[in-house]
């Protein structure tokens, strides 16, 4: 269990962390007084205020576990320009957050990401090997999938022709811009190859909803087949955002995080 100060008073503190590109990453620290802290990472065009991020932070808080939910650069309150793709850059953002809290003598007891954030935490684990507890919530296994459905079969031709594609919302307003560079970044991010580089000591939990309308549930089983130290939990009936399954999602996450904390405590000298 987390090392909680006696009679802790929970505080919610806004914290700004500079990333390696000079941008301020803004997040909310749920401070329980525990040495351990869990980093929560949102998905595509989302933020730290997304329902899943908020609910998981409060669920951890109730167990006396501190957490930090933050906005990737170009999202929410953080500085920077929103960019499609750039999975590696977001992994760098996580690195900056981890270095910040490690420098403050906190123990990073886990990183969790939802949707695109799920891919980013796995990329982080494949690159840095300093976090031994990772939770992938509804991440996409094949990043080439979903492109045609979202942008059309001629997207690469249009990108080469004009350099970018503008994505509009339901009202016809420009929502965001996809550049050829950012599309290539996504298409060249090979999650299979990256997951093979995750350390065997790193405990990974993948959670996925059986009724996910954005990323097929089959992706979760593909992660399970290649990540060496892996657990898989399918939430029956849950959609991509766990709209009617927030409590079940939080319960699964808490069980895994607490189990890993106990293992780490038992292994400590």
């Amino acid at each position: 269990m987390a090392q909680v100060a006696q009679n802790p008073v929970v505080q919610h503190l806004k914290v700004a962390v500079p990333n390696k590109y000079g941008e301020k990453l803004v997040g909310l620290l749920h401070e329980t007084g525990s040495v351990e802290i869990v980093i929560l990472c949102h998905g595509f065009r989302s933020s730290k205020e997304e329902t899943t991020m908020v609910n998981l932070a409060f669920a951890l808080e109730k167990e006396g576990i501190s957490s930090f939910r933050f906005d990737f650069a170009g999202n929410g309150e953080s500085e920077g320009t929103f960019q499609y793709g750039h999975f590696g850059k977001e992994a760098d953002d996580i690195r900056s957050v981890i270095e910040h809290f490690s420098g403050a003598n906190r123990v990073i007891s886990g990183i969790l990401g939802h949707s695109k954030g799920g891919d980013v935490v796995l990329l982080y684990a494949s690159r840095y090997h300093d976090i031994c507890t990772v939770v992938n919530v509804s991440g996409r296994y094949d990043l080439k999938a979903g492109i045609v459905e979202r942008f059309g079969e001629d997207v690469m031709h249009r990108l080469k022709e004009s350099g970018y594609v503008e994505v509009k919302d339901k009202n016809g307003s420009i929502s965001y811009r996809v550049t050829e560079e950012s599309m290539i970044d996504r298409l060249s991010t090979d999650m299979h190859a990256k997951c093979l580089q995750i350390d065997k000591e790193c405990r990974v939990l993948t959670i996925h909803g059986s009724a996910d309308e954005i990323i097929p549930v089959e992706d979760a089983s593909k992660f399970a087949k290649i990540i060496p130290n892996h657990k898989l939990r399918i939430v029956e009936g849950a959609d991509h955002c766990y709209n009617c399954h927030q409590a079940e999602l939080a319960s699964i996450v808490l069980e895994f995080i607490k189990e890993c904390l106990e293992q780490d405590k038992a292994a400590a000298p």
Side-chain angles (χ1 to χ4, degrees):
M1 192 61 63
Q3 298 173 16
V4 185
Q6 286 189 335
N7 302 317
V9 176
V10 175
Q11 294 178 294
H12 297 156
L13 307 169
K14 189 168 283 190
V15 177
V17 177
N19 69 8
K20 66 184 288 186
Y21 305 98
E23 300 158 329
K24 287 183 181 177
L25 307 173
V26 179
L28 196 69
L29 172 62
H30 289 244
E31 180 62 86
T32 68
S34 67
V35 175
E36 297 87 357
I37 185 169
V38 177
I39 309 300
L40 303 175
C41 307
H42 65 77
F44 177 70
R45 286 190 60 77
S46 187
S47 79
K48 64 183 180 302
E49 301 302 330
E50 194 269 329
T51 301
T52 298
M53 297 294 101
V54 175
N55 287 347
L56 289 174
F58 277 103
L60 289 161
E61 180 182 296
K62 287 180 182 177
E63 295 294 322
I65 303 169
S66 297
S67 68
F68 183 66
R69 50 185 172 96
F70 76 100
D71 297 322
F72 285 114
N75 293 269
E77 294 184 272
S78 290
E79 294 179 348
T81 303
F82 171 80
Q83 294 175 314
Y84 182 83
H86 289 264
F87 289 80
K89 185 175 185 292
E90 294 193 353
D92 289 338
D93 283 353
I94 296 176
R95 182 65 171 174
S96 297
V97 168
I98 287 175
E99 287 178 339
H100 172 84
F101 285 104
S102 295
N105 296 316
R106 305 299 290 265
V107 175
I108 314 301
S109 55
I111 54 176
L112 175 149
H114 174 241
S115 193
K116 182 186 179 185
D119 290 299
V120 175
V121 296
L122 291 172
L123 286 177
Y124 182 93
S126 75
R127 183 183 293 180
Y128 292 107
H129 310 288
D130 60 342
I131 301 298
C132 59
T133 303
V134 176
V135 183
N136 159 37
V137 182
S138 306
R140 188 183 289 279
Y141 178 80
D142 181 4
L143 293 179
K144 293 183 176 68
I147 301 294
V148 170
E149 292 82 352
R150 184 183 286 260
F151 301 107
E153 292 186 3
D154 63 339
V155 62
M156 294 309 297
H157 173 73
R158 286 185 288 137
L159 284 170
K160 287 184 180 300
E161 201 170 61
S162 61
Y164 65 88
V165 169
E166 290 177 338
V167 179
K168 297 181 179 180
D169 61 20
K170 294 177 182 177
N171 299 318
S173 300
I174 296 171
S175 183
Y176 61 95
R177 177 177 285 189
V178 179
T179 65
E180 183 180 12
E181 177 197 5
S182 62
M183 179 63 76
I184 290 171
D185 177 87
R186 170 167 169 161
L187 294 175
S188 63
T189 302
D190 184 344
M191 291 306 299
H192 179 93
K194 296 296 184 183
C195 287
L196 291 174
Q197 296 170 14
I198 295 175
D199 195 276
K200 292 178 182 177
E201 299 302 311
C202 180
R203 300 159 301 206
V204 178
L205 169 66
T206 291
I207 309 170
H208 213 107
S210 69
D212 192 320
E213 75 286 11
I214 304 294
I215 299 173
V217 66
E218 289 78 14
D219 281 31
S221 298
K222 293 174 182 177
F223 281 121
K225 287 179 181 177
I226 61 166
I227 297 175
N229 191 352
H230 187 276
K231 289 186 176 182
L232 174 62
R233 294 290 298 271
I234 303 299
V235 180
E236 289 300 324
D239 61 11
H240 189 63
C241 292
Y242 298 82
N243 284 306
C244 298
H245 296 81
Q246 286 286 314
E248 187 175 355
L249 173 63
S251 176
I252 294 169
V253 169
L254 282 174
E255 179 186 353
F256 182 71
I257 294 291
K258 289 162 69 176
E259 177 185 315
C260 291
L261 283 169
E262 287 293 343
Q263 291 175 3
D264 292 342
K265 185 179 178 180

